[in-house]
Amino acid sequence: MSLSPGAARGSPLQELADERLRRAGVRLLLKRDDLLHPTVPGNKWRKLLPNLAEARACGHTAVLTFGGAYSNHLRATAAAGRAAALRTVGVVRGDELRDRPLNPSLAQAAAWGMELDFLDRASWRERQSEAVLGRLLERHGPALVVPEGGSNPAGVRGCVPLGRELAASGASVVCCSVGTGGTLAGLAAGLAEGQQALGYASLKHAPLAAETAALQRDAFGRTTSNWRIEDGWHLGGYGRTTPELTAFADDFRSRHGVSLDLGYEAKAMFGLMAGLGSGPFAAGTTVAFLIAG
Ligand SMILES: Cc1ncc(COP(=O)(O)O)c(C=O)c1O
């Protein structure tokens, strides 16, 4: 499958008709990056494509990357590598999984041709060290090494066009979910003068804002002052959910036919709806919300 079935034109914006918004006097536009590609979810498409291009430009025929046992990123890298005819190696956290049957997520990555390598926890903590990386590259051959989430300078720069697409939306605030910060770092850099980006942390991780700023510095040589991270909506941490969040996402799907990822966008939309009517969501504002995958 091609990596750009129309995706190069960008993703659609859809206005949400919802009683809660109407009452608060807020217009909400969904930025449907989940529709960019059938097997490479939006944020991965934005961040992985420039990495694949960089792999080729450096003469690599393979990409090596990292993820947990249920990583969306590993699956997306497998799909993108297959489409781009590049070999992919997925390094999975935890060698206890080596002798167990593959879960559906890893089985799909393997079916798309990804070579899987299961790393013990001690080596995982040191995965960016020369020693561990050296051993991995010796085992699998030369490859472009891409961090988890695809959030390196190439990946961050790949999210700038997303900001530019949103610059034309008329929204004063753009909301998104934050995992590694790569998407927020890039999209904020592409927004128009006067627009603000508001990221909702999907995990409990105090240095997230500092890491997002560092991603901007590495990608652009500077930070932009048009974003901030709201950290009150991670609901206990990465992968954690609550019955209220599940009920909220179920209700959202039945009202709007849109499935929000429980680990990411559901938390951010939950936070946004709770904040309607004041601050960045005062009556009369137009808000854009990114559905990143
Ligand atoms: C569905 C979804 N939304 C948002 C994000 C957050 O993106 P980032 O890691 O660039 O902050 C991710 C990252 O994996 C994701 O899979």
Side-chain angles (χ1 to χ4, degrees):
M1 177 178 299
S2 152
L3 272 176
S4 50
R9 287 193 298 275
S11 62
L13 265 180
Q14 296 171 347
E15 182 159 359
L16 199 71
D18 188 298
E19 182 52 26
R20 292 165 289 190
L21 296 165
R22 200 192 56 73
R23 264 188 271 122
V26 171
R27 261 186 95 209
L28 183 62
L29 308 171
L30 295 184
K31 177 68 172 159
R32 299 293 307 270
D33 254 21
D34 55 321
L35 303 178
L36 268 182
H37 193 274
T39 54
V40 186
N43 76 93
K44 312 298 180 209
W45 191 92
R46 303 267 184 193
K47 291 181 285 186
L48 280 172
L49 257 68
N51 274 290
L52 300 187
E54 186 163 319
R56 278 197 193 297
C58 298
H60 284 300
T61 55
V63 170
L64 180 146
T65 193
F66 303 88
Y70 289 90
S71 163
N72 291 339
H73 170 68
L74 287 183
R75 228 176 32 250
T77 305
R82 180 180 150 104
L86 283 166
R87 205 160 60 80
T88 54
V89 180
V91 180
V92 185
R93 180 180 58 233
D95 61 347
E96 70 279 5
L97 302 171
R98 185 177 296 138
D99 301 319
R100 295 200 201 140
L102 295 179
N103 68 41
S105 182
L106 292 177
Q108 180 63 80
W112 281 330
M114 180 170 260
E115 291 165 36
L116 298 173
D117 191 335
F118 297 88
L119 207 57
D120 64 88
R121 306 270 164 165
S123 304
W124 177 265
R125 282 190 289 278
E126 300 296 318
R127 63 192 176 283
Q128 299 300 344
S129 70
E130 241 172 73
V132 174
L133 265 183
R135 277 205 306 279
L136 287 168
L137 292 173
E138 214 166 274
R139 270 210 293 276
H140 296 283
L144 181 81
V145 177
V146 175
E148 280 160 287
S151 290
N152 57 8
V156 169
R157 287 194 288 266
C159 295
V160 174
L162 167 59
R164 297 225 173 93
E165 288 167 37
L166 287 160
S169 67
S172 53
V173 188
V174 173
C175 299
C176 68
S177 173
V178 182
T180 59
T183 307
L184 175 62
L187 92 77
L191 291 179
E193 191 75 34
Q195 284 182 309
Q196 296 289 319
L198 177 57
Y200 287 83
S202 62
L203 68 168
K204 205 152 87 183
H205 182 56
L208 195 51
E211 288 174 6
T212 303
L215 285 169
Q216 283 201 320
R217 268 193 301 276
D218 289 349
F220 311 117
R222 66 181 184 98
T223 57
T224 64
S225 55
N226 62 348
W227 59 270
R228 70 179 177 86
I229 295 180
E230 172 69 66
D231 64 3
W233 295 94
H234 54 65
L235 305 183
Y238 182 70
R240 298 282 173 85
T241 182
T242 62
E244 290 76 20
L245 181 72
T246 313
F248 173 81
D250 287 347
D251 174 66
F252 194 90
R253 187 174 44 250
S254 64
R255 284 177 196 239
H256 303 299
V258 176
S259 294
L260 301 172
D261 187 311
L262 273 183
Y264 294 99
E265 277 74 33
K267 293 179 179 181
M269 183 62 84
F270 199 35
L272 186 162
M273 288 287 185
L276 282 178
S278 62
F281 312 128
T285 45
T286 298
V287 178
F289 182 93
L290 174 67
I291 304 193

